[in-house]
Amino acid sequence: MNQFNASRQSMQAQRPNNAPASAEARKLAEDLMDAMSALLSLIERETELVRAGQVREAMTLEGRKQELSRNYVGAVSQLKANQAQLAKSAPELLSTLHRHHDAFRAMLQVNLTVLATAHAVSESVVRGVNAEIQKRNVPNTYTAAGRRAAPGPRHITPLAVSRSL
């Protein structure tokens, strides 16, 4: 489904397994790759659902997404804490992780773009509905200068929106 599984297999094939420090570094890298792969597959599913207009179903993924995000942040923190050791013991692994992380960020950007678009569309719909409601509640009068009168506060009706789908 994504390119991380294939690259993870190639990363495992590169193992020389010659030093304990190298094994620890590889374990940290594998943990990060696992966290990125799991989070990415969930984000891809969320993106598909939002694009298909199935926002309610996409919202059910929120709890799992938070859990996977915590795992990802934890793996990144562990890797950052051991970055000096990793740079010494396996610099090629570190550069591979940087490349995969860049691809991961690009895929996250696609997801954020889809979510922002869905948010903008829904906000536009709500504003349009509100404008129509306000038009019906405003008296159709003109000022002495011949311009349309602005509605006073007593003519504006608030719009209530339920956030639960």
Side-chain angles (χ1 to χ4, degrees), residues 13-106:
Q14 296 173 5
R15 286 185 187 191
N17 286 335
N18 54 355
S22 179
E24 290 175 21
R26 293 196 186 287
K27 173 71 172 125
L28 290 172
E30 286 178 8
D31 289 347
L32 180 59
M33 289 297 289
D34 289 343
M36 280 194 294
S37 295
L39 184 57
L40 187 61
S41 93
L42 184 82
I43 285 173
E44 286 175 345
R45 177 72 180 137
E46 179 187 53
T47 301
E48 290 171 6
L49 290 171
V50 171
R51 280 184 175 160
Q54 299 172 346
V55 177
R56 184 177 292 182
E57 191 175 335
M59 288 176 65
T60 63
L61 303 175
E62 183 178 346
R64 180 78 175 133
K65 186 176 174 183
Q66 287 176 350
E67 177 188 336
L68 291 174
S69 295
R70 278 191 297 273
N71 293 345
Y72 168 75
V73 169
V76 168
S77 298
Q78 286 290 322
L79 198 69
K80 281 185 178 181
N82 296 297
Q83 187 173 4
Q85 176 188 355
L86 186 60
K88 289 178 185 175
S89 65
E92 76 290 341
L93 182 60
L94 190 59
S95 65
T96 301
L97 278 173
H98 280 291
R99 284 194 311 273
H100 292 300
H101 198 258
D102 289 341
F104 177 72
R105 278 189 281 174

Side-chain angles (χ1 to χ4, degrees), residues 125-138:
V125 168
V126 169
R127 287 184 188 275
V129 168
N130 185 42
E132 287 300 317
I133 289 172
Q134 299 311 323
K135 280 182 188 177
R136 292 182 187 156
N137 292 334
V138 174

